[in-house]
Amino acid sequence: MSTMSMNALPSPAAVYAAYASLSSSVMLLRTTFHQIVPRQVQEYVLSLISRFFKNRIPNKENSVLTLMVEKSDEYSYSNYLFQSFQIYMSAKASSTTNRLKINKLSQKSEKLTAKLAQEETISEVYQGVEITWAYLNQHEKEKSDRNKQYWYELRFEKIHKDLVMNSYIPFVLEEAKNMQYASKDIKLHTYGSGSWSSFNLEHSSTFETLAMEPSEKKALMDDLDLFLKRREYFKRVGRAWKRGYLLYGPPGTGKSSLVAAIANYLKFDIYDLQLMNVGSDDVFRKLLQGIANRSILVIEDIDCSVDLPDRTTQAKKPKSKSLKFSLSGLLNFIDGLWSSCGDERIIIFTTNHKDRLDPALLRPGRMDMHIHMSYLTINGFKTLASTYLDIKHEHWRFKEIEELLGIVEVTPAEVAEELMRICDADVCLGALVSFLKEKKKRTGVETKDGEDATWGIKLIPEANEIDSDSV
């Protein structure tokens, strides 16, 4: 068998002769082609042949699609997509690139922002697809920095266009929104002279530092968490995506600190509204249009901030000529047509005297949760001791302080002031014991009773009482 195979193969001399003959034929054809065919026809034929093979051989350069996302359009309107890309890239760039542009927004700001430097690129893989980012801008000298155009480029294989457009870009937008809220500086807005003005909220109150019963804190935090997750639920039932809280109790029990803690927990801006600055219902509606989503509207001391006319008294006494703002205007914002002018909003009323409020403010659908801020308990005191004196465990003074707190009405603000006087924990707690004994002697309080003596949360729609003993 092997002998027959060997005999079937052509000899080297025959192979060489065939190659020489083929080469001679090709050279003859090439010479004849150049001599007979005009130059223009030659170029046309060669281009056809080149195009034929180019379309059949994969070309990586031709298979890449580039998306441009400019900072603004020809009318200088800012591009939300560009802003979101910049936020998203600030997190990606800081860990993978060799050149970054860094910035500090203000002297007080503790955060440095980073973004891609000019012409720097970064790549990431999304669902198996490699996507390359580049940050570019114009180099024209006549363009000022103000008019210079900036843009991002996204490069990827064309076959993945639908995935990038319909899945990747929405993913980037959602991630950017979460990053922005997680790192944002919380603003405190106040209304005056016809417009809102804002300042950075420097209040450092958190749920960890609040002198509040642990069960109450957990109930409120759970309620806030549930609220954030229920966008589709509110849409399905046809209700505005909002939540109302009434904080009531004696002065100094931490109502303002609780508002700041909620803002720091949710990363929501606070809009502090003094009703005496609102001249009429029309003004009230206009200023509400300036309140952003994911925000907290706070009306403190609503029982005494303005003499709101109610249905039981306005028929018996004439309205003040200077007051054109009505209770109905406020109620319409809380749960009327104007309540749907924004999303993801918290409305908080505070008062020292709940019994003075018009019942219309308190009915289900307006104030969803009533939170009673009462006098200091031993659990709240331990939180203050941990915060102000760094006492993380039981102290031998705690038993005596617990007994005194059981019979003396003292607010968290009063105790916090005492804890700030002396740095030494033993000396400070001794001074606090003396303060509590002196207050007991001065006020003659033997027991605490009445509504102001008990912490409690009341969920209005279900009318369920939740207090520190049942949560």
Side-chain angles (χ1 to χ4, degrees):
M1 175 66 75
S2 61
T3 303
M4 294 178 61
S5 299
M6 290 290 292
N7 294 333
L9 292 175
S11 65
V15 172
Y16 179 76
Y19 173 74
S21 176
L22 180 62
S23 298
S24 299
S25 300
V26 171
M27 291 295 294
L28 180 61
L29 288 173
R30 182 178 178 183
T31 302
T32 305
F33 179 76
H34 283 292
Q35 290 177 351
I36 299 177
V37 180
R39 183 178 180 82
Q40 293 82 356
V41 177
Q42 293 179 29
E43 293 177 352
Y44 177 73
V45 171
L46 291 174
S47 67
L48 288 178
I49 295 173
S50 174
R51 193 180 307 169
F52 175 82
F53 286 104
K54 187 176 182 180
N55 291 337
R56 281 157 179 76
I57 299 175
N59 188 323
K60 186 175 182 181
E61 197 65 32
N62 287 340
S63 66
V64 173
L65 179 64
T66 300
L67 300 180
M68 291 181 59
V69 180
E70 294 181 331
K71 184 177 182 179
S72 58
D73 62 14
E74 60 270 25
Y75 302 105
S76 297
Y77 291 118
S78 60
N79 186 349
Y80 173 75
L81 202 58
F82 180 91
Q83 297 170 2
S84 299
F85 280 13
Q86 198 160 45
I87 295 170
Y88 181 75
M89 275 292 99
S90 66
K92 296 291 181 181
S94 60
S95 59
T96 57
T97 58
N98 297 322
R99 286 196 313 139
L100 293 173
K101 291 184 69 173
I102 61 174
N103 189 21
K104 190 174 182 180
L105 300 179
S106 66
Q107 184 177 359
K108 292 184 177 181
S109 178
E110 298 179 357
K111 299 184 292 291
L112 290 176
T113 59
K115 64 181 181 181
L116 283 177
Q118 180 182 341
E119 298 184 358
E120 193 75 7
T121 62
I122 182 175
S123 296
E124 71 170 342
V125 177
Y126 177 79
Q127 296 187 13
V129 177
E130 183 178 5
I131 301 169
T132 301
W133 292 69
Y135 178 66
L136 305 168
N137 63 55
Q138 280 180 322
H139 295 278
E140 298 178 25
K141 294 182 179 179
E142 63 270 15
K143 292 273 188 180
S144 65
D145 287 340
R146 193 170 188 179
N147 297 323
K148 187 181 291 185
Q149 188 62 271
Y150 300 84
W151 69 91
Y152 280 103
E153 287 187 357
L154 276 70
R155 305 186 189 108
F156 51 90
E157 292 186 6
K158 287 181 180 178
I159 59 174
H160 302 302
K161 177 184 175 182
D162 290 341
L163 175 69
V164 172
M165 297 289 287
N166 301 326
S167 181
Y168 179 67
I169 291 180
F171 163 76
V172 170
L173 294 178
E174 185 65 24
E175 287 291 300
K177 185 178 76 169
N178 295 334
M179 292 176 188
Q180 184 178 27
Y181 285 126
S183 62
K184 68 174 289 190
D185 291 324
I186 300 172
K187 299 291 185 180
L188 174 62
H189 303 262
T190 59
Y191 181 79
S193 302
S195 63
W196 291 102
S197 57
S198 64
F199 310 88
N200 284 343
L201 180 68
E202 303 293 344
H203 205 302
S204 58
S205 177
T206 65
F207 280 108
E208 288 73 21
T209 62
L210 275 177
M212 194 174 174
E213 284 294 294
S215 58
E216 307 296 335
K217 283 195 249 187
K218 185 179 185 307
L220 178 54
M221 293 169 69
D222 289 346
D223 190 73
L224 292 170
D225 292 338
L226 181 61
F227 168 74
L228 293 180
K229 299 174 183 177
R230 304 187 85 184
R231 174 195 291 270
E232 295 303 321
Y233 172 79
F234 280 94
K235 182 178 179 180
R236 178 168 59 83
V237 300
R239 297 284 297 275
W241 190 14
K242 65 177 182 62
R243 192 73 171 158
Y245 297 99
L246 174 69
L247 312 184
Y248 66 100
T253 51
K255 293 185 286 294
S256 297
S257 294
L258 179 55
V259 172
I262 293 174
N264 286 324
Y265 182 71
L266 299 177
K267 295 293 184 179
F268 280 17
D269 285 355
I270 297 176
Y271 288 79
D272 183 27
L273 179 62
Q274 302 293 326
L275 290 182
M276 66 277 295
N277 295 331
V278 182
S280 66
D281 289 345
D282 289 338
V283 172
F284 187 59
R285 284 192 291 269
K286 289 178 181 178
L287 70 88
L288 293 179
Q289 295 174 11
I291 298 178
N293 293 339
R294 295 180 67 94
S295 61
I296 302 171
L297 175 65
V298 180
I299 302 179
E300 293 192 276
D301 300 321
I302 189 172
D303 58 298
C304 57
S305 59
V306 68
D307 185 20
L308 285 173
D310 60 49
R311 296 160 299 181
T312 61
T313 59
Q314 62 185 2
K316 300 178 182 179
K317 63 178 182 180
K319 294 182 180 179
S320 171
K321 294 182 180 180
S322 61
L323 180 63
K324 298 181 180 179
F325 178 70
S326 66
L327 176 61
S328 62
L330 179 61
L331 298 180
N332 190 40
F333 166 70
I334 298 173
D335 69 346
L337 292 176
W338 281 92
S339 67
S340 59
C341 65
D343 270 341
E344 212 168 356
R345 287 179 177 172
I346 303 288
I347 304 170
I348 298 179
F349 292 162
T350 73
T351 179
N352 297 334
H353 305 284
K354 178 183 175 182
D355 57 321
R356 296 181 185 177
L357 298 181
D358 190 295
L361 285 170
L362 308 179
R363 76 161 177 79
R366 287 172 179 162
M367 291 294 102
D368 303 292
M369 180 178 279
H370 294 185
I371 304 175
H372 182 228
M373 310 290 289
S374 188
Y375 295 108
L376 190 64
T377 64
I378 186 58
N379 289 324
F381 166 73
K382 289 179 180 179
T383 300
L384 293 179
S386 174
T387 302
Y388 287 88
L389 300 177
D390 199 28
I391 299 176
K392 305 301 182 184
H393 306 287
E394 286 291 321
H395 190 277
W396 64 275
R397 286 280 192 182
F398 281 6
K399 185 64 177 177
E400 186 178 12
I401 291 173
E402 181 176 6
E403 293 175 357
L404 288 168
L405 290 178
I407 58 177
V408 177
E409 293 180 340
V410 61
T411 65
E414 291 177 293
V415 173
E417 185 176 355
E418 293 296 320
L419 296 180
M420 293 178 66
R421 296 183 186 276
I422 306 171
C423 294
D424 184 270
D426 292 335
V427 177
C428 184
L429 293 181
L432 177 62
V433 169
S434 299
F435 168 79
L436 294 174
K437 288 181 177 179
E438 179 62 26
K439 184 164 188 179
K440 173 188 174 184
K441 181 179 179 181
R442 185 172 64 251
T443 59
V445 176
E446 292 298 332
T447 58
K448 294 192 296 186
D449 53 15
E451 184 184 48
D452 287 344
T454 306
W455 282 86
I457 289 182
K458 187 175 184 180
L459 293 171
I460 297 307
E462 295 79 12
N464 293 329
E465 287 286 353
I466 303 180
D467 55 32
S468 57
D469 296 326
S470 62
V471 173

